[in-house]
C-alpha cells in the first residue's frame, strides 16, 4: 500500500456519503431485492453462480433481527420462484449475535430450515474476532441437524488452522478467504506472504479431508494455489468452487469461467450499503481515481 493510498484510506470517512454511494455502485447490486435478482440473472447468463447477501450487521435490537430473518426468507422464496442459480450468505451480528447467542442461533436456524426445504444452501460469513468462537459454535450446532450450511475461515487468523482441524471432523463446507477486518497482530498474521501460505495450507487440508471448498479470492497467486490442488487431487466441479465479490475483477472472473471452473459471485444488496462499501473501497488500489472522478462528475 502506498503512502498516498494509506492517507486516503484514513480520510475515507470524510468523503461525503453521496460520493461513496456513487463510487460503490460497482460493489452493491442495489437497494432492493428486484435489483439483486436482476444482477443474479445477469451473472447466471454469464455462467456464474451467486450468493445473495442482505447488507447489514451489528443489530442492537430484536426488531431489526426479525426484519432480517423475514427478508432472508423472502430471498429464499425469490430464488426459488425465479429459478436462480444462487444461495445465500448471512452475517451472525445482523441476526442477533451481539444481543444474545441463542437468539442468533434460533434466527439462523429458521433460515437454514427453510433453505433446506427449498433445497438451497446457507453460508455463515465470518465477522471480526470477538465473534469467531460463537459463530463456529452456532455453525456446529446447525451442522448436527442440517447438511445445507457452511462456514467461513479467514487465512489471516492465527487460530484458523486449529479451527479447520476441528471443523473437518464435521465434513464442513468451507469458504476460505484472507479476512477483511482490522485485527491485532497477537491474533492475526500481518505479513501478506504468511497469510498466503496459510491460505494455501487451509485449502490443502480441507480438500485432503474431503470437504467442499469455496476459494474466495481475487489474488491470482491464491487462485493458482487452488488450481494446483484441483489438479493434483483430480477434483471435479462437485468438490470445489472459486468465489469473488461483485465488481472487483471482471477479467479474473472471465478467466476462471472460461477455464471451466465453477465461480460464485457474492452479491450484496440493501439499504445498509455504507459499512460494506467502505470496506471494499479501502481495499481498492484505484479508490483515489474513482473518488476524484466522482467529485468532478467524470465517467
Ligand atoms: C466471495 C467472498 C466472500 C468473502 N467473505 C468474507 C467473510 O466472510 N469474512 C471476511 O473477513 N472476509 C470475507 N471476504 C473478503 C476477503 O477476506 C478479502 O478481504 C478480500 O477478498 C480481498 O482479499 P483477496 O484474497 O482478494 O486478496 P488481496 O491481496 O487483498 O487482493 C487481490 C487483488 O485484488 C484486488 N482487490 C481486492 N479487493 C479489491 C476491491 N475491493 N476493489 C478492487 N480491487 C480489489 C487487490 O488490489 C489485488 O490486486 C470475502 C471475499 C470474497 C471474495
Amino acid at each position: 500500500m502506498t503512502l498516498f493510498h494509506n492517507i486516503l484510506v484514513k480520510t475515507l470517512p470524510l468523503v461525503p456519503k453521496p460520493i461513496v454511494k456513487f463510487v460503490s455502485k460497482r460493489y452493491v447490486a442495489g437497494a432492493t431485492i428486484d435489483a439483486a435478482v436482476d444482477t443474479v440473472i445477469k451473472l447466471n447468463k454469464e455462467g456464474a453462480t451467486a450468493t445473495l447477501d442482505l447488507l447489514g450487521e451489528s443489530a442492537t435490537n430484536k426488531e431489526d433481527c426479525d426484519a432480517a430473518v423475514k427478508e432472508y426468507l423472502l430471498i429464499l422464496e425469490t430464488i426459488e420462484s425465479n429459478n436462480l442459480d444462487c444461495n445465500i450468505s448471512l452475517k451472525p451480528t445482523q441476526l442477533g449475535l451481539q444481543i444474545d447467542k441463542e437468539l442468533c442461533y434460533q434466527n439462523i436456524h429458521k433460515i437454514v430450515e427453510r433453505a433446506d426445504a427449498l433445497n438451497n444452501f446457507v453460508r455463515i460469513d465470518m465477522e471480526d474476532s470477538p465473534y469467531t468462537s460463537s459463530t463456529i459454535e452456532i455453525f456446529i450446532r446447525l451442522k448436527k441437524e442440517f447438511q445445507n450450511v457452511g462456514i467461513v475461515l479467514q487465512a489471516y487468523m492465527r487460530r484458523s488452522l486449529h479451527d479447520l482441524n476441528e471443523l473437518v471432523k464435521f465434513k464442513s463446507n468451507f469458504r476460505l478467504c484472507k479476512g477483511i477486518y482490522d485485527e491485532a497482530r497477537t491474533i492475526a498474521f500481518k505479513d501478506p506472504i504468511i497469510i498466503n501460505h496459510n491460505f494455501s495450507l487451509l485449502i490443502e487440508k480441507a480438500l485432503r479431508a474431503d470437504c467442499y471448498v469455496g476459494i474466495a479470492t481475487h489474488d491470482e497467486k491464491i487462485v493458482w494455489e487452488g488450481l494446483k490442488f484441483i489438479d493434483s487431487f483430480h477434483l471435479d466441479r462437485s468438490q470445489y468452487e472459486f468465489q469473488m465479490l461483485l465488481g472487483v475483477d471482471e477479467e479474473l472472473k472471465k478467466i476462471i469461467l472460461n477455464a471451466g471452473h465453477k465461480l460464485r459471485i457474492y452479491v450484496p444488496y440493501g439499504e445498509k450499503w455504507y459499512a460494506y462499501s467502505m470496506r471494499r473501497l479501502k481495499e481498492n488500489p484505484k479508490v483515489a481515481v474513482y473518488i476524484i472522478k466522482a467529485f468532478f462528475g467524470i465517467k
Side-chain angles (χ1 to χ4, degrees):
M1 203 183 267
T2 63
L3 181 63
F4 176 63
H5 184 82
N6 229 333
I7 293 168
L8 195 91
V9 162
K10 292 218 162 66
T11 51
L12 255 185
L14 303 175
V15 176
K17 270 197 173 181
I19 297 281
V20 176
K21 189 171 191 178
F22 181 80
V23 175
S24 306
K25 274 200 286 195
R26 71 187 63 233
Y27 302 126
V28 177
T32 63
I33 192 161
D34 289 345
V37 168
D38 288 347
T39 302
V40 174
I41 289 174
K42 191 166 159 280
L43 289 166
N44 285 174
K45 278 189 185 145
E46 291 169 4
T49 181
T51 186
L52 272 177
D53 165 65
L54 172 65
L55 287 169
E57 52 203 272
S58 312
T60 51
N61 63 72
K62 201 173 160 300
E63 292 69 37
D64 285 353
C65 301
D66 290 346
V69 172
K70 207 170 150 204
E71 180 79 7
Y72 267 113
L73 296 177
L74 175 68
I75 298 173
L76 286 169
E77 302 303 330
T78 308
I79 291 172
E80 179 71 9
S81 60
N82 287 276
N83 204 15
L84 301 177
D85 183 357
C86 184
N87 63 30
I88 59 173
S89 293
L90 50 79
K91 291 198 167 37
T93 67
Q94 185 181 26
L95 294 153
L97 192 54
Q98 280 182 348
I99 306 169
D100 174 38
K101 191 161 69 175
E102 186 59 25
L103 170 77
C104 179
Y105 168 74
Q106 293 299 341
N107 283 336
I108 300 181
H109 187 281
K110 281 181 207 155
I111 298 168
V112 174
E113 190 173 41
R114 186 64 194 136
D116 188 41
L118 293 169
N119 208 14
N120 208 326
F121 179 86
V122 179
R123 174 79 56 195
I124 305 177
D125 286 350
M126 188 59 79
E127 298 175 85
D128 38 342
S129 55
Y131 307 108
T132 310
S133 294
S134 309
T135 300
I136 290 175
E137 281 163 37
I138 288 172
F139 167 73
I140 291 174
R141 262 179 91 184
L142 289 163
K143 188 73 176 112
K144 286 179 179 161
E145 192 179 343
F146 300 103
Q147 287 307 308
N148 65 318
V149 61
I151 184 105
V152 178
L153 289 180
Q154 298 146 320
Y156 68 11
M157 291 292 281
R158 292 177 189 271
R159 59 176 285 173
S160 285
L161 184 56
H162 170 77
D163 289 335
L164 186 123
N165 285 335
E166 291 302 306
L167 288 166
V168 294
K169 295 175 189 160
F170 301 92
K171 277 275 169 287
S172 302
N173 180 316
F174 294 103
R175 174 196 296 151
L176 302 175
C177 65
K178 288 190 184 179
I180 182 76
Y181 301 91
D182 192 12
E183 302 288 0
R185 184 179 166 211
T186 45
I187 54 170
F189 299 114
K190 293 290 173 185
D191 182 334
I193 295 173
I194 299 179
I195 295 171
N196 278 14
H197 282 314
N198 202 38
F199 204 142
S200 176
L201 182 61
L202 295 175
I203 299 173
E204 182 178 6
K205 284 217 137 191
L207 289 175
R208 276 195 194 283
D210 217 11
C211 291
Y212 189 91
V213 180
I215 304 165
T217 186
H218 319 96
D219 184 341
E220 270 219 67
K221 295 186 284 305
I222 300 297
V223 172
W224 183 83
E225 290 288 329
L227 293 173
K228 185 181 71 181
F229 293 125
I230 290 160
D231 179 67
S232 48
F233 296 152
H234 307 291
L235 301 184
D236 65 49
R237 281 167 60 102
S238 67
Q239 292 162 292
Y240 73 93
E241 64 188 40
F242 288 97
Q243 300 185 353
M244 291 172 64
L245 301 172
L246 184 70
V248 171
D249 190 337
E250 283 300 310
E251 198 166 37
L252 186 59
K253 181 173 103 179
K254 285 190 195 119
I255 291 169
I256 292 173
L257 283 173
N258 289 343
H261 302 287
K262 185 167 173 183
L263 174 66
R264 187 177 303 279
I265 304 294
Y266 188 99
V267 179
Y269 84 95
E271 296 289 348
K272 296 185 180 153
W273 50 271
Y274 188 72
Y276 178 86
S277 300
M278 289 296 270
R279 285 202 290 271
R280 294 283 80 78
L281 288 173
K282 284 178 186 172
E283 283 186 318
N284 188 343
K286 295 191 192 133
V287 59
V289 179
Y290 294 148
I291 286 180
I292 291 164
K293 279 185 167 178
F295 256 118
F296 294 103
I298 305 167
K299 295 224 165 150

